[in-house]
Amino acid sequence: MQFTTAFVAASAALTASALPQTTPIAADAKFGILAIHSGSDIQNTPFQAALSSIIIGANSQNASCDAPTNSATFYLQDSELKLFAESATPQSLFVDRSGMGQGKVGFVTGAQPLPSNAETKGWAIDDKNVLSFNGEGLQACPNSIDGAWSVWLSGTTNPAGNSECIGISPAVQVADPAIGCSYTS
Ligand SMILES: *[C@@H]1O[C@H](CO)[C@@H](O)[C@H](O)[C@H]1NC(C)=O
């Protein structure tokens, strides 16, 4: 059964990814996200999920996955961004635009409560397959764990004391195949 489901998903993903990248992805697509910032160290580097945060460029995201991968797979549901897994309770992203959160982008696992001030609804993918939250873009800051950059909403300079952050365009790409993972919290 598991195999059948995975096979169908992989076939669907293959069909979608054979189309030009500017074709809007299907509403129910599973996708990876690439950081786009020409000339930066993280140009075309996939988003990862680890330690309840979204990061880019870690040597390993240390996730427990159905197949080997070092990047995260997402999907959009009711304008919420979720991490793809075969399990019934997905890990869900949130943003914290409060003065405390400073644009923090994180995720919670299963029934784990959201931090106060966390928002989950507002994610959208435009017709160029670029992701945003309530019309806001993202930025990435170097010197996070394991050689990675941490991902934040744009709008706050030096969020949580980080420096040398750069604006990134989060480009969505259909995951082919979509690999389910449980990410570390
Ligand atoms: C992954 O695990 C290694 C070994 O324990 C650790 O050094 C590294 O910081 C971890 N990376 C992340 C992103 O959690």
Side-chain angles (χ1 to χ4, degrees):
M1 272 310 172
Q2 192 108 25
F3 172 77
T4 308
T5 308
F7 178 76
V8 169
S11 309
L14 190 65
T15 307
S17 67
L19 300 168
Q21 284 303 318
T22 47
T23 300
I25 68 161
D28 62 350
K30 313 293 184 290
F31 53 83
I33 305 171
L34 296 179
I36 306 297
H37 181 126
S38 295
S40 73
D41 288 349
I42 54 172
Q43 165 75 349
N44 279 327
T45 308
F47 280 34
Q48 300 164 311
L51 301 172
S52 303
S53 298
I54 302 301
I55 58 176
I56 300 169
N59 295 324
S60 173
Q61 60 180 355
N62 298 329
S64 168
C65 298
D66 297 340
T69 183
N70 195 25
S71 59
T73 303
F74 303 84
Y75 62 101
L76 206 54
Q77 190 175 62
D78 297 332
S79 75
E80 296 187 321
L81 192 56
K82 303 194 172 178
L83 288 158
F84 173 62
E86 300 289 354
S87 81
T89 48
Q91 294 173 302
S92 302
L93 272 75
F94 67 85
V95 303
D96 184 344
R97 296 189 286 177
S98 72
M100 283 282 284
Q102 308 206 320
K104 163 86 186 162
V105 179
F107 66 88
V108 290
T109 299
Q112 190 185 354
L114 289 164
S116 53
N117 301 315
E119 298 170 84
T120 57
K121 282 186 187 287
W123 294 101
I125 298 171
D126 71 11
D127 58 3
K128 298 278 194 294
N129 288 338
V130 174
L131 180 73
S132 61
F133 183 86
N134 252 356
E136 285 184 63
L138 300 179
Q139 59 181 329
C141 308
N143 305 313
S144 185
I145 187 165
D146 197 16
W149 295 53
S150 55
V151 172
W152 302 76
L153 279 185
S154 52
T156 304
T157 306
N158 300 337
N162 285 285
S163 59
E164 297 168 59
C165 306
I166 59 171
I168 53 169
S169 181
V172 163
Q173 280 206 326
V174 171
D176 174 25
I179 300 174
C181 299
S182 174
Y183 301 91
T184 59
S185 57

